[in-house]
Amino acid sequence: MTELRSDFMKMFVERGYMHQCTNIDELDAAFAKEPVTAYIGFDCTARSLHVGSLMQIMILRRLQQAGHKPIVLMGGGTTKVGDPSGKDESRPVITDEMIQENMDGIKKVFEKFITFGDGPTDAIMVNNDDWLSGLGYISFLRDYGRHFSINRMLTFDSVKLRLEREQSLSFLEFNYMILQAYDFVELKKRYNCSLQLGGSDQWGNIVNGTELGRRTNGFDLYGLTTPLLTTSSGAKMGKTAAGAIWLNEDMLSAYDYWQFWRNTEDADVGKFLKLFTELPMDEISRLESLEGAELNEAKKILANECTRLAHGAEAAEAAAETARKTFEMGQTADSLPSTEVPKADLEAGIPAFALFNQIGLAQSSSEARKLIKGGGARLNDEKIADEKLVVSLDHLDAEGRIKLSAGKKRHHLIIPV
RNA sequence: GGAGGGAUGCCUGAGCGGUUAAAAGGGACGGACUGUAAAUCCGUUGGCAUUGCCUACGUUGGUUCAAAUCCAACUCCCUCCA
C-alpha cells in the first residue's frame, strides 16, 4: 500500500475506521481528485438506530465534511427480505406501514449528524423499495441473475456459515445479497454513486455489488468496510440494562445517552474518542494517556462530545451538569429522568415496588421486590429496608420531589402533579 | 423414498415419571472493593401475590393419582443411505 493522499482516507485509517477495502489505491486517488458519492444501507427494522450503527453514521458525517456526497440508503425493499448475515434465523416479516414508520424515525437521527438538501455535497436519503418493488422477475433474472454464480455465493460467509450451522436459509433470504448488489448498481446509475461503505459483516454483499457493476456496465465501484466493534471485554456495543442505546431522544434520554459513554471501560476510551468524536488526534492522544482515575476526565469529554453530536450542545451540557450534581456533589438534580405521578395517588400511597416498576427502574414488580430485598433500592438516597414500604407525600423532599434509585447509577425523580 | 437423531428458561446446555420454576456455565441485574473503570468475590435471575396461585420444557391430543420426562399424530431441524 502506497502512501495515502486523500484527506478522507488518511482520516479514515488514522481514526480506526478502516477494515477492508476493495481497491484502496484507486479509491484514494478518486477521493483526492474529485468529490465522491458514497452510500451506506440501513435496515428499517426499528424506529431508531442505536450505537451499533453510530460508526456508520459518523463515517457519512465525516465524508460530507471532507467535501463528498453521502447517500443514506434505506432498505425499505430489502427489509422485506431480511439480511441473513450473522443471523441464525430468518427475520419476521414486517408490514409496509411499520417500515415507513421506522424510516421516519431513522431520518430524524440522521438529520442531527448530516445535512440533507439539493447541493452538491448535501446528503440524500433514498429508499430501495422505489426500484426493487417494480422489478420484473423474468427480466431481472435475465439481466442480472446471469451474473451471479451460485457456487460463488455459497462461499460467502453470510451463506456459508448459515449452511454449515444446520440452520435453514430460505430462497427469499438467499436473494438478499443479489438485491443489495443491484442496489449499488442502481445508485451508480441514478446518482453516480461509486462507493459503498458498511460494517465488516457487509463485505460479501458489498463485493457482490462492485462485481455486478463491473460485469453489467463496466462501472468502477469501490467498497470500504469498518471493523466490527466490541468493547475490550468482548461484549457487543450498545446493550445495557435498559436495553439498546438508541440515538433518538424519545427512545433514550440525552442523560442516559451521556451516562452510557461516561461508563466506557478504560481500555476503550481512546478508541471511542477516535471513532465517535471529532476531537483532533493530538488532543485524543493526550486524553488517552491519562492514568487511573484521571481517565475519568477523558470519559466525561467523551460523553460530552458524543451527546453533543446526537442531541445538541445544550442537552450535552445539561446531562453533564446533572451527572456532576448527582455523582460528584451528592445532590438531587432537577434534570434527572423523571415521571409525573398524580398527587392523589401519592396521597393514597403507592407500594415502593409498584412505583419502581411504574417508572421503569424495574421491569416487573417481582424484579422491583428483588431489588429492594437485595438492598439495591434507594428512596431519597436512603436504602429501602422494608420490602413493603409505601411511598406517599410524606417522602417528598424539600423541593417537593421523590428520588428513587436502582443501584448506584440509575436514578429517577417522581414529580407529584 | 428408506434408516436414525433432535426441539428445554435471555443464550449454551443437563434432566428422561413425582423431592423440577427445572443442574451447570454464560449473559444480565444488585451488593462488596474501586475511579460512575476492569478484574475479583457474594447474592439474585418466569409472572402475580403480605408464602399461595398462575404460566412454562416445539404443537395437539392420550396414558397415569402424578409427565419436561411414557404413547400417538403433526411441524421444523440434523445425520446417514437411495
Side-chain angles (χ1 to χ4, degrees):
Chain A
M1 188 167 81
T2 54
E3 191 79 356
L4 291 171
R5 292 164 49 220
S6 68
D7 292 340
F8 180 77
M9 287 307 295
K10 277 187 211 157
M11 181 285 300
F12 200 83
V13 171
E14 182 180 50
R15 291 240 164 197
Y17 292 116
M18 182 68 181
H19 186 250
Q20 284 169 292
C21 182
T22 52
N23 188 332
I24 192 161
D25 293 331
E26 278 185 32
L27 181 60
D28 182 48
F31 270 124
K33 184 169 133 227
E34 61 194 0
V36 171
T37 300
Y39 89 99
I40 302 182
F42 294 87
D43 271 333
C44 318
T45 43
R47 271 172 47 226
S48 175
L49 294 174
H50 49 78
V51 288
S53 301
L54 188 56
M55 195 171 9
Q56 321 307 332
I57 297 172
M58 286 302 289
I59 291 171
L60 287 184
R61 179 181 166 87
R62 307 215 62 134
L63 188 84
Q64 185 167 53
Q65 288 170 344
H68 305 285
K69 186 180 183 73
I71 295 178
V72 178
L73 175 69
M74 299 307 296
T78 31
T79 294
K80 295 176 187 167
V81 173
D83 181 4
S85 305
K87 298 182 185 67
D88 285 348
E89 287 171 17
S90 52
R91 190 177 279 164
V93 176
I94 60 177
T95 64
D96 285 354
E97 295 79 65
M98 284 165 71
I99 290 177
Q100 187 55 49
E101 216 173 278
N102 294 341
M103 275 182 59
D104 294 343
I106 289 169
K107 174 133 196 198
K108 283 197 204 113
V109 176
F110 274 104
E111 282 169 344
K112 306 261 185 173
F113 287 87
I114 52 182
T115 308
F116 289 92
D118 299 323
T121 66
D122 283 345
I124 53 172
M125 180 178 261
V126 294
N127 181 356
N128 65 10
D129 196 47
D130 293 351
W131 55 83
L132 291 181
S133 284
L135 285 178
Y137 194 55
I138 296 298
S139 62
F140 181 76
L141 285 181
R142 285 175 56 109
D143 294 342
Y144 295 95
R146 67 196 312 153
H147 297 292
F148 288 91
S149 146
I150 293 284
N151 314 47
R152 181 93 199 288
M153 286 170 76
L154 292 176
T155 68
F156 282 100
D157 276 355
S158 59
V159 173
K160 193 176 68 180
L161 295 176
R162 187 77 167 265
L163 293 179
E164 276 174 3
R165 201 142 25 118
E166 99 262 11
Q167 263 86 18
S168 81
L169 176 71
S170 69
F171 185 66
L172 177 77
E173 293 171 277
F174 189 62
N175 275 271
Y176 183 90
M177 66 166 73
I178 294 180
L179 294 178
Q180 185 168 331
Y182 178 74
D183 279 347
F184 200 171
V185 177
E186 190 66 27
L187 286 170
K188 171 69 177 175
K189 286 182 184 163
R190 292 185 178 218
Y191 306 105
N192 193 31
C193 173
S194 53
L195 169 65
Q196 180 177 183
L197 298 150
S200 58
D201 57 331
Q202 295 300 310
W203 180 249
N205 293 333
I206 292 174
V207 169
N208 262 312
T210 61
E211 288 181 4
L212 184 65
R214 181 161 44 74
R215 289 198 191 128
T216 53
N217 296 281
F219 292 147
D220 284 326
L221 301 178
Y222 306 99
L224 186 58
T225 60
T226 56
L228 183 70
L229 194 62
T230 55
T231 66
S232 290
S233 29
K236 242 186 211 165
M237 279 280 292
K239 286 188 303 177
T240 64
I245 302 300
W246 300 105
L247 301 175
N248 271 17
E249 177 128 33
D250 58 346
M251 291 180 76
L252 187 78
S253 71
Y255 169 78
D256 286 324
Y257 190 72
W258 194 93
Q259 281 297 318
F260 169 75
W261 294 106
R262 173 64 183 81
N263 283 298
T264 298
E265 294 173 24
D266 284 8
D268 291 324
V269 172
K271 182 166 69 179
F272 287 0
L273 283 168
K274 282 183 209 153
L275 293 172
F276 301 117
T277 77
E278 291 171 345
L279 295 175
M281 284 302 285
D282 50 354
E283 172 74 356
I284 291 177
S285 350
R286 186 184 71 77
L287 288 171
E288 69 180 332
S289 67
L290 293 173
E291 306 238 338
E294 293 198 340
L295 202 52
N296 283 336
E297 291 311 309
K299 291 184 191 179
K300 285 181 203 165
I301 291 171
L302 173 67
N304 285 340
E305 290 298 308
C306 288
T307 309
R308 194 170 57 75
L309 284 171
H311 300 296
E314 218 169 287
E317 246 164 69
E321 180 59 15
T322 303
R324 205 170 64 81
K325 279 187 184 162
T326 306
F327 289 96
E328 293 176 26
M329 302 174 67
Q331 297 177 351
T332 300
D334 295 322
S335 41
L336 282 172
S338 63
T339 301
E340 297 185 339
V341 172
K343 211 168 203 159
D345 290 359
L346 280 169
E347 214 149 24
I350 306 173
F353 67 83
L355 204 51
F356 270 93
N357 180 209
Q358 190 187 329
I359 63 178
L361 246 30
Q363 306 264 1
S364 67
S365 302
S366 301
E367 193 179 306
R369 284 164 193 274
K370 285 164 195 157
L371 185 71
I372 296 171
K373 214 182 282 185
R378 268 167 241 263
L379 187 151
N380 292 334
D381 297 318
E382 298 279 331
K383 185 189 281 185
I384 299 177
D386 179 8
E387 204 186 320
K388 294 168 199 147
L389 178 79
V390 172
V391 180
S392 68
L393 291 173
D394 298 339
H395 296 283
L396 293 182
D397 67 6
E399 325 288 317
R401 330 157 282 206
I402 297 168
K403 180 184 182 187
L404 292 181
S405 312
K408 288 180 178 153
K409 297 188 191 174
R410 295 151 62 211
H411 306 284
H412 205 99
L413 292 184
I414 306 294
I415 318 274
V417 286

